[in-house]
Amino acid sequence: MNSFMKGTLLTTALVLTTTSVGAEASTRPFFTEVGKDTVVYRLMPDKSMRPIATLTPNQRYDVVGVSGSYYQVEVDGRRTYGLKRDIPLKTTMLTKAVVADSQYDRLLHNYTARSVKREVPYYYGFLTEAQAVSQADSALNGSWRLGAAPGRQAVPDIATFDWERDIKVGDSTSFMFQAQYWMVLNQVTMAYHYTKDVKYLAYGKQLVEGWVKQYPTTQYKRYPNAYHQQGTAIRTFHLINFWNQYKRSRLNNDAAFSALVLRAVEGHGDVLSTPSFYRPRHNHGIFQDMALTDIAETFPELERSGEWRELAAARLTEQLDHSLSPDNVHLEHSPGYQVYTYEMLYRFNRWIEANGFTTSPRLEAVEQMPETLVHLVKPNRTLPLFGDTTGEPRTASMISTMRDYPHLLFAVTGGKEGVRPVERTKQLHTQYAVLREHWGETKPFADAVSLMMTAGFHNTAHKHQDDLSIDLYGYGRDFIVETGRFGYTNLPERNQAVHVNAHNTINMGTRQLTLHASTLVKSGILSVEETDGLQRATGFSELMGQGIHHTRSIAHDQAGTVLVADTVRSDSRASFTQRFHLGVGLEPIEEKDGETMFRDKEGRTLQMIQLPITSAGVTRIEPSFVAYRDFEWTPRHQVVSTKTGTGTSFVTLFHMSKSNTRVTFSHVTETDSAYVVSYSLSDGRSRTIEMPKGELDVPEEEIEIVEE
């Protein structure tokens, strides 16, 4: 007996044993409907195939097994054989029981291999051919290359790799995260896409098999590293993209692996749809909605796919209603995440369109998100270090659609390309105030003074202790700048970077802000305006808690002078500390009675004067650090002023210069509604600025907080 016929007989015996338990035809998961008369055969004792019947077009026949190049088709209660090329294998629904039952592995294998649903992929991490091949080859040679520090992971044998004990995390919490969401699987998948070399798919198969064996989805609660909320979603994208490449390759001859992939996909759908696993009002939840959509559209035959499709669309609408303001500001407290979230959602939109799907109508607003970024790009082409934002220079590659946004292109190229923006002052919802001197019309683009303020508390996503903090830039350098995010790590610098003492605002001693349901939306930008050449903005915060109200007004007179007026109302006596963290390289050259002067190597100066209001207080210079990029920690100075009382006020005058001008006279008076500041400069210029104390106008909004 030849080996093919042995396989045929064994398969027949198995099918007879497992499918003849009185099951009705309507309960069988697989069937066929042929488009023309199709001959089916009977297996004869001499192992030959004899034609015995013709299938009627458009009539349903159950398919009950696989035998070599034949499907076993039930006709009038008898098992017949039809050539696979003649029998379109179909299903109406794949229940969890069918997917889990190994007797259906070969049918699942054949069905999924021929399915052509959702062929245009969603790439979370798109790679060029050179990148994909280089990184994939490194993996095949025993060294994974990940984006987070330490950057490399030795994997000498993927077949025996332990995803917990063998991963050397180092200082970055992102390293385990990237390994567990299968960054390497994406690398080998894309390498195969470009080269069609099956060695990459073979490695990917081993990776998937080993991981799924170690981390069953039914026990996801036991494995927090493997089942991170966002990581689970990203891994789903990578798994589906790998499968769509693998199933069409010559390696796809393992029915058990096909079934394993389908079970893993279904299990990920179960986890992603579980309410207790879901992350509402957070970009992680958006990823979960996208991944659930990917599963539902790629595998519509799965029992819960219809439910998942509707759930993902509804949840995504709620997410975007919460996280995108009416003027398309991403409300996660970080300009860097305005970029990240736009790019993610833009590619998701293109993926939906390419495959003809429909989901949340709120995705239409994504197209306008880059317009917000125009105002957040500083004259040195960086973003302010508010929240979890890094300070690398931004380029025309910041977003993939840059050419569609000529104002943003102008901002990130320093005025070399694009169209010059007109607006110089901008309120971006309640989260940012932007005051900009010019767009390079008659002066050097990079010399423009830029003053920004951040506020707002919408959720805990990427929120630092930075309410009403400012960023001051001018004449080609940072004068006052935030601390940065340092990076996602367990190192103490990360905690220092988000701590209340790391920001350019006021706090009560070392007491952290109250980021709780009771203080949601109890902070925000109230107004931004420009009148008679004076740019002003006002914001408020109640996040210090204990009934304390903080109002900050900022102004720039477009002559290198900036005013910051703080009013703190409190029912009880307390110590209040105001901090301003300076740019790297500004060194103190004068210090007296609340006045300090700093200079850098290029001769640019910053003069800071605490004007006497309510009390003089105490001012001192202390050390500080800044992280423009992840895991940098560069020394710099901060100016710390402290006052004690039942509430207090600070009126702080800054003068920036690159020609050694300085304030020679300054005076402040207080009215019921404003501070009136007069000053004179060494070059003969004088000005009087009225700074409103600001009226507290706390929005009333009930929002359930989501803890980070």
Side-chain angles (χ1 to χ4, degrees):
M1 183 182 300
N2 63 47
S3 59
F4 169 76
M5 294 313 303
K6 284 182 181 178
T8 300
L9 289 174
L10 288 172
T11 303
T12 304
L14 174 63
V15 171
L16 288 172
T17 300
T18 57
T19 62
S20 58
V21 194
E24 296 297 327
S26 60
T27 65
R28 302 276 174 77
F30 294 98
F31 66 94
T32 190
E33 290 175 338
V34 297
K36 60 181 180 180
D37 290 345
T38 302
V39 175
V40 291
Y41 305 86
R42 179 180 178 185
L43 177 63
M44 304 306 293
D46 64 357
K47 313 305 181 294
S48 63
M49 287 289 186
R50 178 178 298 176
I52 60 168
T54 300
L55 301 183
T56 304
N58 303 317
Q59 181 172 324
R60 174 173 172 151
Y61 298 91
D62 287 333
V63 177
V64 295
V66 183
S67 179
S69 58
Y70 293 87
Y71 286 126
Q72 296 176 350
V73 183
E74 195 167 86
V75 180
D76 296 330
R78 297 179 62 187
R79 187 164 282 102
T80 67
Y81 293 79
L83 286 165
K84 287 181 179 178
R85 66 170 183 259
D86 298 332
I87 305 295
L89 186 62
K90 299 182 179 182
T91 186
T92 53
M93 179 185 295
L94 296 177
T95 66
K96 180 174 286 294
V98 169
V99 173
D101 194 334
S102 61
Q103 72 167 305
Y104 295 112
D105 282 5
R106 297 189 70 189
L107 284 168
L108 290 170
H109 168 74
N110 281 267
Y111 177 78
T112 55
R114 299 175 70 175
S115 174
V116 293
K117 300 292 190 302
R118 218 286 280 146
E119 291 298 314
V120 178
Y122 173 79
Y123 287 114
Y124 173 73
F126 184 82
L127 303 171
T128 65
E129 181 173 357
Q131 291 170 331
V133 171
S134 174
Q135 293 170 21
D137 285 346
S138 181
L140 269 59
N141 289 326
S143 178
W144 287 0
R145 289 161 55 182
L146 305 181
R152 296 260 183 176
Q153 170 65 46
V155 185
D157 183 4
I158 184 62
T160 60
F161 183 64
D162 188 302
W163 289 77
E164 293 282 341
R165 287 189 285 268
D166 291 344
I167 293 181
K168 308 305 180 187
V169 175
D171 296 328
S172 171
T173 56
S174 297
F175 190 77
M176 174 68 83
F177 173 64
Q178 291 176 352
Q180 292 283 2
Y181 75 52
W182 293 354
M183 181 177 282
V184 173
L185 186 67
N186 184 54
Q187 293 165 2
V188 297
T189 299
M190 297 200 73
Y192 173 78
H193 166 75
Y194 289 120
T195 68
K196 297 300 182 284
D197 191 330
V198 294
K199 69 181 181 183
Y200 299 118
L201 295 183
Y203 188 88
K205 179 186 177 185
Q206 287 186 291
L207 185 153
V208 172
E209 287 175 324
W211 191 95
V212 170
K213 181 179 180 181
Q214 187 168 347
Y215 298 115
T217 55
T218 54
Q219 300 177 41
Y220 74 92
K221 291 183 180 179
R222 293 180 55 191
Y223 305 111
N225 284 331
Y227 290 98
H228 180 277
Q229 292 162 324
Q230 184 187 16
T232 300
I234 297 171
R235 184 170 57 248
T236 299
F237 302 138
H238 294 336
L239 176 58
I240 290 176
N241 291 344
F242 169 78
W243 175 245
N244 278 340
Q245 295 285 342
Y246 184 90
K247 72 182 183 182
R248 295 190 296 268
S249 76
R250 60 183 172 85
L251 292 187
N252 189 19
N253 54 15
D254 184 346
F257 181 67
S258 299
L260 177 144
V261 169
L262 192 59
R263 289 169 195 142
V265 169
E266 183 185 55
H268 276 62
D270 285 336
V271 173
L272 290 165
S273 63
T274 300
S276 60
F277 185 78
Y278 184 62
R279 189 73 179 271
R281 294 171 180 151
H282 197 286
N283 70 76
H284 293 179
I286 294 176
F287 276 103
Q288 291 174 281
D289 298 333
M290 292 164 56
L292 204 56
T293 301
D294 200 354
I295 293 172
E297 297 292 358
T298 308
F299 300 94
E301 304 84 357
L302 290 175
E303 184 177 15
R304 296 186 64 192
S305 282
E307 169 196 341
W308 289 339
R309 184 182 297 106
E310 294 181 6
L311 175 65
R315 293 194 315 195
L316 183 56
T317 296
E318 185 175 345
Q319 287 274 10
L320 296 178
D321 282 344
H322 170 76
S323 64
L324 274 185
S325 72
D327 55 348
N328 304 302
V329 178
H330 181 241
L331 301 177
E332 287 194 357
H333 318 103
S334 302
Y337 275 80
Q338 181 85 10
V339 179
Y340 175 72
T341 306
Y342 166 74
E343 191 65 23
M344 168 187 72
L345 291 174
Y346 164 76
R347 287 188 283 113
F348 186 59
N349 262 336
R350 300 293 78 77
W351 173 72
I352 289 170
E353 293 171 0
N355 290 283
F357 306 154
T358 58
T359 183
S360 171
R362 282 290 280 124
L363 285 167
E364 295 177 3
V366 171
E367 185 177 349
Q368 304 304 317
M369 290 178 67
E371 299 293 350
T372 296
L373 288 168
V374 174
H375 308 283
L376 291 172
V377 177
K378 294 164 60 172
N380 64 348
R381 295 177 286 173
T382 68
L383 294 173
L385 300 183
F386 294 145
D388 280 335
T389 302
T390 54
E392 70 276 5
R394 306 289 169 156
T395 68
S397 63
M398 180 171 71
I399 59 173
S400 56
T401 56
M402 182 64 73
R403 299 291 166 181
D404 296 332
Y405 300 93
H407 288 158
L408 181 58
L409 181 62
F410 190 91
V412 299
T413 62
K416 295 177 181 178
E417 298 183 67
V419 176
R420 191 187 311 275
V422 175
E423 293 177 294
R424 300 187 303 170
T425 58
K426 189 72 173 180
Q427 179 174 347
L428 300 173
H429 195 56
T430 60
Q431 194 157 266
Y432 306 110
V434 181
L435 311 179
R436 187 184 184 112
E437 183 185 12
H438 61 75
W439 287 100
E441 292 90 343
T442 59
K443 300 177 182 179
F445 183 95
D447 276 5
V449 172
S450 166
L451 176 60
M452 300 189 195
M453 181 164 64
T454 185
F457 174 42
H458 312 283
N459 49 56
T460 56
H462 306 289
K463 175 66 177 174
H464 288 209
Q465 301 275 322
D466 60 354
D467 248 36
L468 302 181
S469 190
I470 66 168
D471 179 289
L472 177 60
Y473 170 96
Y475 310 133
R477 66 127 53 242
D478 283 328
F479 283 102
I480 297 172
V481 64
E482 280 284 77
T483 301
R485 71 180 191 181
F486 184 74
Y488 302 128
T489 173
N490 294 320
L491 290 173
E493 288 87 347
R494 169 62 180 176
N495 289 332
Q496 292 178 51
V498 302
H499 193 275
V500 69
N501 289 348
H503 304 292
N504 302 310
T505 185
I506 290 178
N507 58 284
M508 189 169 59
T510 59
R511 177 184 172 88
Q512 299 292 290
L513 301 183
T514 305
L515 303 180
H516 183 266
S518 61
T519 56
L520 277 169
V521 303
K522 299 291 174 102
S523 160
I525 303 299
L526 294 174
S527 64
V528 175
E529 62 179 355
E530 181 171 357
T531 57
D532 298 326
L534 182 67
Q535 299 174 330
R536 292 191 303 203
T538 300
F540 79 97
S541 174
E542 296 184 349
L543 301 191
M544 277 191 267
Q546 300 185 1
I548 297 172
H549 305 268
H550 178 199
T551 304
R552 169 168 278 185
S553 294
I554 60 174
H556 172 227
D557 69 356
Q558 302 189 63
T561 305
V562 163
L563 196 62
V564 177
D566 291 296
T567 303
V568 181
R569 304 178 196 166
S570 174
D571 295 329
S572 58
R573 186 175 179 82
S575 176
F576 297 96
T577 302
Q578 180 200 64
R579 297 175 186 272
F580 292 110
H581 298 261
L582 305 183
V584 175
L586 284 168
E587 297 297 330
I589 58 172
E590 294 180 21
E591 185 177 1
K592 61 178 182 179
D593 299 330
E595 179 178 342
T596 52
M597 176 79 82
F598 297 86
R599 177 180 289 136
D600 68 10
K601 292 180 179 179
E602 286 73 36
R604 292 168 293 197
T605 57
L606 175 68
Q607 185 180 10
M608 175 178 167
I609 303 172
Q610 286 289 12
L611 298 174
I613 197 80
T614 65
S615 66
V618 177
T619 298
R620 61 193 182 276
I621 299 174
E622 294 185 356
S624 180
F625 296 86
V626 63
Y628 280 103
R629 293 172 177 80
D630 282 350
F631 305 110
E632 287 184 352
W633 202 233
T634 306
R636 41 97 176 253
H637 299 287
Q638 63 172 312
V639 179
V640 182
S641 302
T642 303
K643 294 184 179 183
T644 300
T646 306
T648 192
S649 298
F650 293 87
V651 179
T652 313
L653 186 67
F654 298 93
H655 181 69
M656 299 165 288
S657 176
K658 62 177 182 178
S659 58
N660 292 314
T661 61
R662 61 181 299 156
V663 176
T664 56
F665 166 81
S666 60
H667 179 72
V668 59
T669 58
E670 182 178 6
T671 69
D672 290 341
S673 61
Y675 304 105
V676 181
V677 176
S678 300
Y679 73 90
S680 298
L681 297 177
S682 57
D683 63 4
R685 290 177 294 172
S686 297
R687 183 108 191 223
T688 297
I689 300 174
E690 183 174 310
M691 290 290 286
K693 293 181 178 179
E695 294 297 326
L696 289 173
D697 183 15
V698 181
E700 295 296 332
E701 186 175 353
E702 295 295 329
I703 303 178
E704 176 188 0
I705 192 169
V706 179
E707 297 294 345
E708 187 173 13

